[in-house]
Amino acid sequence: MRRPHIRSVAVAIAVTTAATGLAGTAFAGPDTGVERSSASTTSNATAVVEAARTAAFAHTAATGVSQGDELHAQDVMADPEGARHVRFVRTHDGMPVLGGDLVVHLDHKLAYTGVTRAADQAVKPATTRAKLTAGQAAAKAAQAAKGEADSAQLVVDARGGAAALAYQVTVTDEQGTNTVVVDAVTGKVRSNTPDSDEFLSPKLLANLRKHGETLDPATGAASASPEAGLLGSGVSGATRYPSAASGTGKTLFVGSVGLTTTQTSRGHYQLKDPSRYGTETRDAKGKTTEKFSSGTAFTGTTNVWGNGTTSNRASAAADAQYGITKTLDFYKNTFGRKGIANNSKAAQGMVHWGNKVANAFWDPTCNCMLYGDGDGQTFKKPLVVLDVTGHELTHGVVDATAKLEPTYVDSDGNQYGEPGALNESLADIFGSNVEFYAKNAKDTPDYLIGEKLGLAQKFLRRLDHPSLDKLEGTIDYWSSDTYYTEVHAGSGVSSHAYYLLAEGSGKKTINGVAYDSPTYNRSTVTGIGRTKATAIFYRALTRYMVSTTDFHDARVATLKAAKDLYGANSTEYKTVDKAWGAVNVTAANTPAARH
């Protein structure tokens, strides 16, 4: 995983009307459908933001906002029952505050009801006088990340329980970019984090090499009948171009599938979907570019993409385009979310990225998925499997909402800490939901992650009993040592809680896959169903999580979400509490100081 760690402060207001639950979910409020966009919601966005900003400064003891702070709206979320939530990033004396994000909650009358904040302490640094020059900070960042540094920007680093004056620097090498934060007084490197999300961590790749294990996914049958085209995607006597067309992707992993493409002229097609914001997959042709425009468009005269084998460069592209569009469909049709950032923009992909790259990752620099072809040894095929794409694009969703960040990164690039582990967990949770949504016969929907990668243990991670993953050492339950656990391994805590909430404890067979989920306290948990569990986790992510949210915070966030959706006395609310208790996350063992 290569997590985007720090982002420049956004000042534009994005009006979000992402759904709070799944279609058909019964809400506690008067509206029983998914959330919907309305002209009045959009036109009132400025008033909502001003009400939230005013409330933040009026309730300083709770919000932590103080003199010198400015709040910049990043998201305005409207709930069917009338509540509003405004997500802010913060500047202090004009400097962006890292870890200064907060969400102000309002009722239907725009009255203040509470806040969710990342920094528990004041964000004012002890000094605003830097001892290092910007040039010196850039040089230190370049040395730390071993690349070429851009100009250094003064920021306030409020992560880790204290606020300090620092420089933020972007460093670029041939593999991408890192964000480096350098203390402006001491010169110490406070953090050095890659800006993209790798699916396979350095620790996992090292373990695979150590055990001599290769990842060689079994490919599907390209001769299967394609799925039915999407409604309205066909072309009937079209004389104006470009226009939507119904194509076929002959993929590596999911057989032949229907793809909506673009007919550019009579008998000529491009692997670009006009019905999904122009989402497109291109060929990087071995380059390590982070500019989507540098990729080569896939074009053809047959509207058939690939042949089901790696001998055809378009086969991997068909998998990627299918996975990206299915993920977009899942988020839109389940939550009303229009695109990864809910801004009706394309989610793009580039296959054949780099030279012998054994990974795939979400890259916020180009707002796209990048897929390597494998190194030919440890990993022998492009990592374009469906749940991998769902997992990685969910990192993009998290980056557009809570921006969950790892606590620290070691010299090998492995990341640690509960917020980062929660990020990985959410990517697994929603990635598995993409499989359930797609219902592809060649990729049975399940609660396993990476089950098609060809591993000896038959999966990479699993949600029902995470510790069965021996490659990453994933954990089932929370303990005080979880803070020091690599994020993929630590993800098991909240993934396990989600599975228990959805399906319950004990033995169960779903779609032919056997599960047997244990509990920390030997309790029995009866699940509320995947639909409701997913609604609760999504609402918690978008409304009640911030960059520093840990597992105990996540418990509170999901309880608040369950209360919003179903009521505080509901079975759903009580089961959320039971599920977290079953992974040893309780109110009683909440650490005194978490951030």
Side-chain angles (χ1 to χ4, degrees), residues 221-284:
S223 59
S225 297
E227 297 178 345
L230 292 173
L231 182 65
S233 64
V235 178
S236 178
T239 57
R240 293 185 179 180
Y241 305 105
S243 60
S246 294
T248 299
K250 294 194 172 183
T251 70
L252 296 174
F253 300 114
V254 289
S256 291
V257 296
L259 296 174
T260 301
T261 61
T262 299
Q263 186 170 8
T264 55
S265 63
R266 185 176 180 84
H268 293 85
Y269 305 91
Q270 184 173 345
L271 192 57
K272 182 177 182 178
D273 190 337
S275 68
R276 296 176 178 89
Y277 327 113
T279 287
E280 180 182 3
T281 298
R282 291 189 175 185
D283 189 343

Side-chain angles (χ1 to χ4, degrees), residues 36-359:
R36 59 200 181 283
S37 177
S38 68
S40 60
T41 298
T42 303
S43 63
N44 288 334
T46 301
V48 174
V49 169
E50 285 308 311
R53 183 180 287 114
T54 299
F57 281 95
H59 297 82
T60 57
T63 63
V65 177
S66 61
Q67 186 176 1
D69 289 352
E70 290 187 5
L71 300 180
H72 305 276
Q74 183 188 34
D75 223 351
V76 179
M77 295 158 280
D79 297 341
E81 63 272 25
R84 299 291 185 266
H85 313 264
V86 183
R87 188 179 294 276
F88 289 108
V89 290
R90 182 173 2 187
T91 60
H92 182 78
D93 291 341
M95 296 179 288
V97 179
L98 312 182
D101 51 305
L102 65 157
V103 182
V104 176
H105 310 293
L106 307 172
D107 66 14
H108 67 287
K109 294 183 179 179
L110 302 188
Y112 173 82
T113 59
V115 65
T116 305
R117 51 190 278 202
D120 288 340
Q121 78 286 347
V123 301
K124 183 178 181 180
T127 179
T128 56
R129 186 181 297 274
K131 290 187 177 180
L132 269 70
T133 65
Q136 290 171 327
K140 284 184 174 292
Q143 182 179 20
K146 298 179 174 59
E148 183 177 345
D150 291 341
S151 57
Q153 177 188 18
L154 274 175
V155 297
V156 176
D157 188 358
R159 302 167 299 166
L165 187 67
Y167 285 102
Q168 177 180 296
V169 188
T170 298
V171 179
T172 305
D173 64 16
E174 62 180 13
Q175 295 299 317
T177 62
N178 279 40
T179 294
V180 183
V181 179
V182 179
D183 194 292
V185 177
T186 67
K188 177 184 176 182
V189 174
R190 299 177 66 86
S191 62
N192 173 18
T193 309
D195 288 331
S196 55
D197 289 285
E198 289 184 343
F199 183 70
L200 304 175
S201 69
K203 180 180 178 182
L204 174 61
L205 290 171
N207 283 342
L208 291 171
R209 297 186 188 104
K210 178 181 178 180
H211 295 292
E213 186 168 358
T214 60
L215 282 72
D216 193 9
T219 55
S223 59
S225 297
E227 297 178 345
L230 292 173
L231 182 65
S233 64
V235 178
S236 178
T239 57
R240 293 185 179 180
Y241 305 105
S243 60
S246 294
T248 299
K250 294 194 172 183
T251 70
L252 296 174
F253 300 114
V254 289
S256 291
V257 296
L259 296 174
T260 301
T261 61
T262 299
Q263 186 170 8
T264 55
S265 63
R266 185 176 180 84
H268 293 85
Y269 305 91
Q270 184 173 345
L271 192 57
K272 182 177 182 178
D273 190 337
S275 68
R276 296 176 178 89
Y277 327 113
T279 287
E280 180 182 3
T281 298
R282 291 189 175 185
D283 189 343
K285 291 192 171 180
K287 295 181 292 186
T288 54
T289 179
E290 291 183 277
K291 292 182 179 180
F292 184 73
S293 59
S294 298
T296 301
F298 281 95
T299 59
T301 57
T302 65
N303 210 6
V304 176
W305 310 92
N307 64 2
T309 74
T310 55
S311 66
N312 188 313
R313 298 183 73 83
S315 297
D319 275 286
Q321 184 76 356
Y322 175 78
I324 293 170
T325 54
K326 284 299 181 185
T327 302
L328 290 174
D329 287 354
F330 162 71
Y331 276 107
K332 182 177 181 181
N333 295 330
T334 308
F335 307 117
R337 190 175 187 85
K338 299 178 181 179
I340 298 305
N342 200 25
N343 57 3
S344 299
K345 291 187 177 180
Q348 300 160 325
M350 282 197 285
V351 293
H352 310 302
W353 189 85
N355 180 30
K356 294 185 176 181
V357 174
N359 229 318

Side-chain angles (χ1 to χ4, degrees), residues 521-578:
N521 50 10
R522 297 185 179 180
S523 64
T524 298
V525 180
T526 301
I528 62 173
R530 182 173 50 82
T531 296
K532 290 181 177 180
T534 306
I536 290 169
F537 268 71
Y538 180 78
R539 187 179 179 109
L541 165 64
T542 55
R543 270 66 171 167
Y544 299 113
M545 292 184 186
V546 289
S547 60
T548 58
T549 297
D550 60 21
F551 291 132
H552 285 81
D553 294 329
R555 171 185 172 273
V556 173
T558 50
L559 283 170
K560 288 181 178 179
K563 179 182 178 182
D564 290 347
L565 294 172
Y566 308 109
N569 294 318
S570 65
T571 297
E572 291 83 0
Y573 181 93
K574 294 173 184 177
T575 307
V576 168
D577 194 36
K578 288 181 181 178

